[in-house]
Amino acid sequence: MKRLSDEIRSGSLVLGQHHQFWIRDPKERLITAPCFRERVLHHAMLRVCERTFERWLIPDTYACRVGKGRIAALLRAKQFSSRFGFYLKLDIRKYFPSIPHRRLDILLKRLFAEPRMLALWSQVVTSYCPETKCGLPIGSLTSQHLANAYLGQLDRVIKEGLRVKGYVRYMDDMVLWAESSEALSNHLRAITEFLQGSLGLEVKAPYINLVEHGIGFLGARVFPNYIAPSRSSRIRYRRRIRNLERLQACGGLSEMELQRRGTAMTANMRVAGMCSWIWRRRVVDSYDGE
């Protein structure tokens, strides 16, 4: 790692070495995995800069933050659903590939004053798709934090400009709550204008409805009084449990590894409480009887 340190100090650092592959669960994504030395660099940068990103973000932003995460976001969404009658669900069309490098650079200059750190961030950003000057790679630690911070500007418009009391964001998945659909329609117009004009982004399929019908959010259905697994989450859980059972039956997986993986998958469903427990019990019992 001394060579990496020397290259950073001398300004001779070259970035952009990565391995790309596709995943198709739950949807197709191109993953860009940086080489080992660049992963080391990313972790080192975040050790220094993560506190700055943390100060920039509002409390109700839940991705890539210690003490937050998916389950906390769902529980907060349930709280707001019990207080308001309507919700607006929206996300960004092709978010990671759409982030403009120039506008992201403007944000980084607001957050960091040290010239060498700014130069390093600029090199990390521009090493991906330099010909289009747009997009961040999915699969990089720095990309997650940069993408999360980029929408921090929208958070402030929603909370400080529009004065929205009920709002939760997990990366580019957002939900707003209000007492009327008209108020949410007005918020949507302002949000769409800000995203297009100031951030160079486009809203995808916004949806306004009554909270009593349930909100599809982060692989779950959020209701005022409870959270249930979404249909797609149940299908994935059943399929993965079946695959693990088959792998263990043919000797490709030890009993301990089967338990470890099954526990990790189950933990992701526990936020749904008793609804999830009864359904998971039926899934496991059905395989025990095969």
Side-chain angles (χ1 to χ4, degrees):
M1 292 302 104
K2 183 180 183 305
R3 179 181 174 184
L4 177 61
S5 177
D6 292 341
E7 289 177 1
I8 293 172
R9 288 190 173 92
S10 65
S12 60
L13 180 66
V14 176
L15 300 178
Q17 299 181 42
H18 53 252
H19 167 63
Q20 292 185 316
F21 57 93
W22 290 93
I23 62 170
R24 293 173 174 81
D25 187 10
K27 60 183 179 180
E28 189 173 77
R29 295 178 185 272
L30 177 62
I31 303 300
T32 302
C35 66
F36 177 75
R37 70 194 303 270
E38 292 190 23
R39 292 202 304 272
V40 171
L41 172 64
H42 295 171
H43 279 275
M45 292 175 67
L46 264 302
R47 286 190 65 180
V48 175
C49 300
E50 190 169 6
R51 284 176 293 181
T52 301
F53 287 130
E54 181 66 24
R55 288 194 296 268
W56 163 245
L57 296 169
I58 66 169
D60 279 322
T61 295
Y62 288 85
C64 304
R65 303 178 72 183
V66 176
K68 300 286 186 176
R70 172 182 174 270
I71 291 177
L74 288 170
L75 293 174
R76 185 62 163 159
K78 178 172 164 288
Q79 288 182 354
F80 285 132
S81 293
S82 67
R83 291 168 50 188
F84 298 94
F86 291 84
Y87 73 89
L88 164 63
K89 172 73 169 62
L90 68 155
D91 61 1
I92 308 299
R93 187 180 302 280
K94 296 182 179 179
Y95 179 47
F96 274 70
S98 301
I99 298 174
H101 292 174
R102 182 182 62 82
R103 300 190 191 196
L104 178 57
D105 185 60
I106 292 172
L107 172 64
L108 289 171
K109 288 177 180 176
R110 289 179 59 184
L111 298 179
F112 302 101
E114 211 284 317
R116 289 185 297 178
M117 180 59 73
L118 274 173
L120 199 54
W121 276 116
S122 178
Q123 191 170 2
V124 168
V125 171
T126 56
S127 66
Y128 182 75
C129 292
E131 64 283 351
T132 62
K133 299 181 180 180
C134 188
L136 293 175
I138 299 174
S140 166
L141 178 65
T142 50
S143 294
Q144 296 175 41
H145 287 270
L146 289 170
N148 202 33
Y150 191 62
L151 283 180
Q153 300 167 95
L154 176 63
D155 294 340
R156 280 169 164 69
V157 168
I158 291 174
K159 295 297 292 184
E160 299 170 9
L162 300 178
R163 301 287 182 178
V164 175
K165 294 182 179 179
Y167 171 65
V168 170
R169 177 171 71 84
Y170 189 94
M171 197 56 76
D172 64 315
D173 287 321
M174 293 162 274
V175 185
L176 290 76
W177 287 263
E179 292 297 347
S180 70
S181 58
E182 291 79 8
L184 291 173
S185 295
N186 293 333
H187 294 335
L188 176 59
R189 283 193 289 271
I191 290 169
T192 301
E193 181 179 342
F194 177 78
L195 284 170
Q196 292 177 344
S198 299
L199 300 185
L201 302 172
E202 182 182 352
V203 172
K204 180 178 70 176
Y207 188 70
I208 296 176
N209 205 343
L210 291 162
V211 296
E212 63 190 49
H213 295 163
I215 307 170
F217 187 48
L218 304 180
R221 295 289 298 176
V222 180
F223 294 88
N225 298 316
Y226 67 97
I227 302 170
S230 67
R231 181 176 180 274
S232 59
S233 292
R234 293 196 302 269
I235 291 172
R236 286 198 301 274
Y237 181 83
R238 185 184 293 272
R239 184 177 68 245
R240 289 172 179 175
I241 287 291
R242 181 181 291 273
N243 290 339
L244 288 178
E245 291 280 358
R246 288 172 175 169
L247 191 59
Q248 196 270 337
C250 69
L253 200 66
S254 68
E255 190 72 34
M256 183 175 294
E257 182 65 12
L258 173 66
Q259 183 176 358
R260 187 188 69 80
R261 293 193 190 182
T263 300
M265 290 167 49
T266 300
N268 201 41
M269 303 282 284
R270 282 180 180 162
V271 67
M274 184 59 69
C275 296
S276 170
W277 185 88
I278 295 171
W279 177 81
R280 284 186 281 114
R281 185 70 264 171
R282 289 203 303 266
V283 171
V284 174
D285 289 343
S286 69
Y287 293 140
D288 288 342
E290 289 182 355

